[in-house]
Amino acid sequence: MHPDFWQQRWAAGQIGFHQATPTPLLQKHWSTLQLPAGTRVLVPLAGKSLDMAWLAAQGHRVLGVELSKLAVEQFFAEHGLHPQIEHSHYGVHYRSGDIELLNGDVFGLDAALLSDCAGVFDRAAIIALPPAMRERYAHTLYAKLPAGCRGLMITLEYPQEDRDGPPFSVPESEVRALFQPQWEVELLERRPIPQDHPGYVGGVSRLDTAVYGLRRRQSQD
Ligand SMILES: C[S@@+](CC[C@H](N)C(=O)[O-])C[C@H]1O[C@@H](n2cnc3c(N)ncnc32)[C@H](O)[C@@H]1O
């Protein structure tokens, strides 16, 4: 998925993935991670998701990473916030209170930047990437998160032959193949999404969502 694809989606306002409220499955399952308030949570491919504000309201420090400058600016404008702006080799950092949104490429992050991310929240992120990029995503971004890091990952599952992504279908077998070498992976919930649900993906014959709890193994595990 070329960066231009996403830049054009934002420029054209084609952001059907954006939700007007925080993700209910985040609100339902986040507490199972038992991440203390004050810990920093990475939100990759963040968009202008209200999940970032929800995580900050739980007492977390949030690091969102998003390619589109429009998305980043809209997030702060829509929350009536006036962020401080700083440039680094990762991109442009917008900071307000406990929320930092980095306008940059998630594949350009390194372990130094992520060293204090004790949590990660992945919604409409891994499923936004085609197969080869998902492998790179797991093996580069997730591999740089520190030992003990805990996360919640929400995926979609549907017959991939029904349509092209994004969003892509990411079956449990793939989640386990990508992450289990370095992460404990627990399926917390799988449920069907009904056709009349606003989150239903057009052109698919059936649709499930799955929620995983992740825990990065200690290097000696
Ligand atoms: C499907 S949207 C989901 C946004 C958000 N997670 C949500 O739930 O609303 C995927 C987002 O990832 C961003 N994105 C795609 N590739 C990226 C990359 N390499 N680095 C940072 N952001 C990226 C896109 O601009 C888009 O806003």
Side-chain angles (χ1 to χ4, degrees), residues 6 10 17-18 45-47 49 65-67 104-107 123-124 128:
W6 294 107
W10 279 99
F17 51 79
H18 179 69
L45 284 71
S49 157
V65 185
E66 169 54 47
L67 266 183
D105 183 352
V106 85
F107 293 106
R123 184 258 163 195

Side-chain angles (χ1 to χ4, degrees), residues 10-12 19 21 46 63 92-93 102 134 144 158 178 194 207:
W10 279 99
Q19 308 174 117
T21 55
L63 172 61
V92 186
H93 305 250
L102 169 59
R134 296 201 288 271
K144 289 176 186 138
Y158 64 85
L178 287 176
L207 182 66

